[in-house]
Amino acid sequence: MSVSFTSKEQAVMNQLLSAETSLTASEIVAQNKSLNSNTVQSVVRSLLKRGYIEVAQIVYSGKVLCRSYRPTEKAKNAAFEDLSARFRFLRKNMPAPKIFAGLIDGEEDQQAVIEELEAMLAQKRELLTREGK
């Protein structure tokens, strides 16, 4: 199932998915100058209603209380589905090892990522062996 976001919804989702902590609407605007406050407020309402984000906490922004938002599991699943679809598209013209190598190159702790991938591959190899594939 492919999720369809408007360009503004996608921009807000990208901000929230890449943030290490929840963000207020004003923090989203501050981090993405192509968005304005009214647009973000409207997009946030839409994403809340559709279940892609949730209120993480109530925080002070200056002297005013406001909501901070984070992506839900539904949003993370949608992002993964999108990544999987893009991978399948790229895979038609590019070998998987080259794609993975490019992704690893962008990681801060490449050694840790490689070790994590090796562990996952060993588990998958064992599962396939047990299934006789």
Side-chain angles (χ1 to χ4, degrees):
M1 175 185 96
S2 180
V3 177
S4 181
F5 291 119
T6 67
S7 62
K8 301 298 183 186
E9 287 173 335
Q10 189 64 59
V12 170
M13 286 304 305
N14 288 346
Q15 292 292 136
L16 292 171
L17 286 164
S18 64
E20 292 183 19
T21 61
S22 59
L23 298 174
T24 64
S26 60
E27 289 170 330
I28 293 169
V29 172
Q31 291 178 12
N32 187 335
K33 300 299 183 194
S34 71
L35 299 170
N36 67 52
S37 185
N38 290 333
T39 298
V40 170
Q41 291 292 345
S42 174
V43 166
V44 162
R45 281 191 300 276
S46 171
L47 293 172
L48 275 168
K49 184 177 179 180
R50 292 167 51 201
Y52 289 105
I53 64 173
E54 64 188 3
V55 176
Q57 56 187 342
I58 306 296
V59 296
Y60 276 101
S61 178
K63 295 182 179 182
V64 178
L65 283 172
C66 58
R67 297 177 180 117
S68 68
Y69 305 96
R70 66 177 168 226
T72 61
E73 281 303 310
K74 181 178 179 179
K76 293 173 187 175
N77 290 338
F80 180 75
E81 287 176 20
D82 182 56
L83 176 64
S84 295
R86 290 171 190 256
F87 175 79
R88 285 188 300 277
F89 175 77
L90 282 175
R91 185 77 174 92
K92 291 178 182 178
N93 296 309
M94 190 179 303
K98 185 172 183 174
I99 297 169
F100 290 122
L103 293 172
I104 292 169
D105 286 345
E107 290 293 320
E108 195 170 297
D109 189 351
Q110 292 181 10
Q111 187 62 38
V113 172
I114 290 169
E115 289 170 8
E116 189 177 347
L117 288 170
E118 286 173 339
M120 287 173 31
L121 289 171
Q123 288 176 345
K124 187 65 172 178
R125 186 176 292 119
E126 182 180 322
L127 179 65
L128 290 173
T129 301
R130 276 190 267 138
E131 292 176 352
K133 292 184 179 180

